[in-house]
Amino acid sequence: PRISREETLLTPWLTALGWETQYRVNTHVHTNTLPRMFRLDFALPSPKLYIEIDGDVHRLRQQRDARRDAMLDALGWHGLRIPAKQIIESVKDTKSIILSWLQSVDK
């Protein structure tokens, strides 16, 4: 799988925190609009948390992403979507957003 430049900016930090990259999730459901297997950009499998980096192509795939998020939610996963543009603008601010999100889902 192709890793985006934005993902590579976060990978060392997230893997040091225990996150896995390109983590596969089997939904056990196959639809005409979504595959049975998803590959998450970053995942913490045990608490079922994921982070997806949304590049420009995601502007055109909002409905597909929403269906995918709903399927993952039904499987007990909690996700955060970050626009790639946010990472390019400030990796430091992006890390703060992730840490704040982690605190909010921890409660």
Side-chain angles (χ1 to χ4, degrees), residues 2-3 10 21-22 24 43 47 50 58 62 73 81 89 103 105:
R2 190 178 156 275
I3 308 296
L10 292 177
T21 61
Q22 298 301 304
R24 290 178 173 225
Y50 68 93
H58 289 273
Q62 290 179 356
D73 186 57
R81 289 191 169 274
E89 288 174 3
Q103 288 178 337
V105 294

Side-chain angles (χ1 to χ4, degrees), residues 16-80:
L17 294 175
W19 289 75
E20 296 185 35
T21 61
Q22 298 301 304
Y23 184 80
R24 290 178 173 225
V25 174
N26 190 336
T27 65
H28 305 287
V29 175
H30 184 75
T31 70
N32 291 333
T33 56
L34 289 170
R36 179 173 307 173
M37 184 77 67
F38 293 144
R39 192 181 303 263
L40 303 172
D41 293 336
F42 299 100
L44 273 177
S46 182
K48 290 190 171 183
L49 300 176
Y50 68 93
I51 297 171
E52 289 287 283
I53 309 304
D54 289 348
D56 285 340
V57 71
H58 289 273
R59 284 181 298 109
L60 309 172
R61 298 189 339 198
Q62 290 179 356
Q63 288 180 335
R64 180 179 183 263
D65 287 346
R67 286 191 305 268
R68 179 181 160 144
D69 289 343
M71 288 180 81
L72 288 164
D73 186 57
L75 293 169
W77 286 84
H78 300 284
L80 173 66

Side-chain angles (χ1 to χ4, degrees), residues 6-17 19 42 51 53 80 82-83 86-103:
E6 295 82 8
E7 287 175 56
T8 61
L9 293 172
L10 292 177
T11 296
W13 179 68
L14 285 170
T15 56
L17 294 175
W19 289 75
F42 299 100
I51 297 171
I53 309 304
L80 173 66
I82 299 174
Q86 165 66 46
I87 299 165
I88 296 299
E89 288 174 3
S90 174
V91 172
K92 182 181 176 186
D93 288 349
T94 302
K95 290 177 181 179
S96 294
I97 290 166
I98 292 168
L99 291 173
S100 294
W101 173 71
L102 287 171
Q103 288 178 337

